[in-house]
Amino acid sequence: MSKSIDEMYGRLAEVWGHCDDVRFRWVQVGNRRGFVVWIYAPIGKELAQEGLLEPLATWDGPDISWDGLERVLQTVSLNTVKTVKEINAAIGNGQAVLCVDGFDRAVAMDVMDFQGRVVEKAIVESVVRGPQEGFTESLETNLGLIRRRLKSPRVKVEYMTLGRVSKTTVALVYIQGIVKPGFVEECRERLQRIDVDSILDSEYIEELIDDAPFSPFPTIEYTERPDRLAAEALQGRVGIIVDGSPNALLVPAIFVNFLQSPEDYFERYTMAAAVRLLRHLFFWMALLLPATYVALLSYHQEMIPTTLLMTLMSTHEQIPFPSVVEALIMEITFEALREAGIRLPKAVGQSVSIVGALVIGEAAVAAGIVSPAMVIIVALTGIASFTIPSYNIAITLRILRFPMTIMAGVLGLYGIIIAVLILWTHLVSLRSFGVPYLSPIAPFMWPDIKDVFTRPPWWQMRHRPKTMESVDLTRSAGIPKPLPGQTERDPP
């Protein structure tokens, strides 16, 4: 920086030229000249007036020192910047910068007052019982929601700025003493390697640090719930929060995490265990049900009971297409209706998807294009896919269902077996930040299996999953099993 106020004004005016929303205001500080520069839109007018302009206007001394200048200003956040690059970054972040003649440094004051979205109910990961809050687009608000749940100083937050143009603030959140230090170092190194113009959402980072960018299976998990990020941090995972995005990333990610819902830990363990088992069943149903129906009807009729086979064949007699083509037609139609229901306005989207499926399915059966049994199979497949709690793994199922159906139409059950073997081989080969994607199933870890297909009671979950290689595996010294009350009755 230059001590000449006129030279500093010329530099900043040149950099921020043709920016009509950037304001310069000259001020008098004692016998020194100065100016304040800020972006007009995000500035809180009352904060700037009370914390900056009024204190400068009331200064009645002949001169002022740097320490005296900092004492006069009454802002919540005040820091010193010493280079033009730091000044430009502060202005871009919505801060007001005060430059005074004779000083080789400037004061950046946080008087920003963005009117962001308030904390609302989580939409995608909604639950019946448990916290209802969801992340917003404000990084400070999101960190506050996490600090509200984890008040320990062991919860660490590291900032970094990504994007040459967007200058997006990204925060790493982890718990020191629980997380494996290698995970934090790996996250930090991968983020520092990112060199792009802009980061507008967490999905940008997800693709840029992904272990397997060409795999249909996600190796990075995201969540819109602060309570879930807090719970996963307690398991030894690292959260990545991006300013401007309502979804936080979680690393490492393993396959079984995508089939677990936050509500599993808010309901009684008996109910949660049953629902989780059904969820695993519905996963394979959503993936293989149309392919299995095509294989049985086309190549393995002897495996179908005779009465049921005669019913199916009688409904399929007038259909001009083979069963594999029939299944693909219905699957594509169903996916189109589902996508249309998402893109349409909320008031009519759900009605269009439901009514459209009923009308088109009935019309297709009446016209002899598809059989009634195929409509039932596709509907059951769609219902099964809706039970998957993670939206990104549900998309993967929607994609893989088509090659599975084609393999079944070409080779029957042998094609399905070959496709499943290829799928499992691919899953076993995946890693997420060094963690095997199918753990604790492969490699097999018996202590962690109890929280995969079912949900054990809290008094049995005394240790954290070994999969995450946490520094401290002990969750509790010992939670006693609840026993009936044994209080003696008062004597008569």
Side-chain angles (χ1 to χ4, degrees), residues 113-257:
D113 187 24
F114 272 117
Q115 298 298 322
R117 183 167 61 95
V118 298
V119 177
E120 297 175 348
K121 185 177 180 179
I123 300 175
V124 179
E125 299 176 274
S126 60
V127 296
V128 176
R129 180 178 180 180
Q132 304 294 325
E133 293 174 330
F135 284 131
T136 69
E137 286 75 15
S138 171
L139 178 62
E140 291 77 12
T141 302
N142 295 340
L143 292 175
L145 292 173
I146 296 172
R147 289 286 186 182
R148 180 181 176 181
R149 291 163 172 81
L150 302 175
K151 302 177 176 66
S152 171
R154 297 169 61 187
V155 180
K156 305 301 180 182
V157 178
E158 295 184 14
Y159 285 114
M160 59 181 64
T161 303
L162 301 179
R164 295 190 299 268
V165 178
S166 64
K167 302 295 182 182
T168 305
T169 304
V170 179
L172 288 179
V173 181
Y174 58 92
I175 301 179
Q176 191 176 47
I178 294 180
V179 66
K180 180 182 177 182
F183 291 158
V184 181
E185 290 293 333
E186 183 69 20
C187 287
R188 194 182 294 121
E189 291 178 4
R190 294 193 188 191
L191 291 174
Q192 290 173 349
R193 290 200 300 262
I194 295 177
D195 185 14
V196 294
D197 287 340
S198 64
I199 299 292
L200 303 180
D201 187 75
S202 60
E203 198 278 335
Y204 287 49
I205 293 179
E206 181 180 352
E207 287 194 15
L208 292 171
I209 66 173
D210 199 355
D211 286 80
F214 299 106
S215 173
F217 288 90
T219 56
I220 296 177
E221 195 174 0
Y222 70 84
T223 181
E224 62 173 347
R225 299 179 59 89
D227 61 293
R228 187 178 182 190
L229 191 147
E232 297 298 341
L234 290 169
Q235 300 276 32
R237 302 174 73 183
V238 181
I240 303 175
I241 306 178
V242 180
D243 190 23
S245 174
N247 296 301
L249 304 179
L250 294 170
V251 294
I254 57 178
F255 176 72
V256 296
N257 288 141

Side-chain angles (χ1 to χ4, degrees), residues 19-35:
C19 296
D20 294 338
D21 57 341
V22 176
R23 307 294 173 86
F24 289 85
R25 177 168 177 175
W26 287 94
V27 294
Q28 190 73 24
V29 185
N31 57 1
R32 296 176 183 266
R33 291 191 308 141
F35 65 84

Side-chain angles (χ1 to χ4, degrees), residues 222 303 392 453 466:
Y222 70 84
M303 299 181 65
N392 47 355
F453 300 104
K466 292 185 177 180

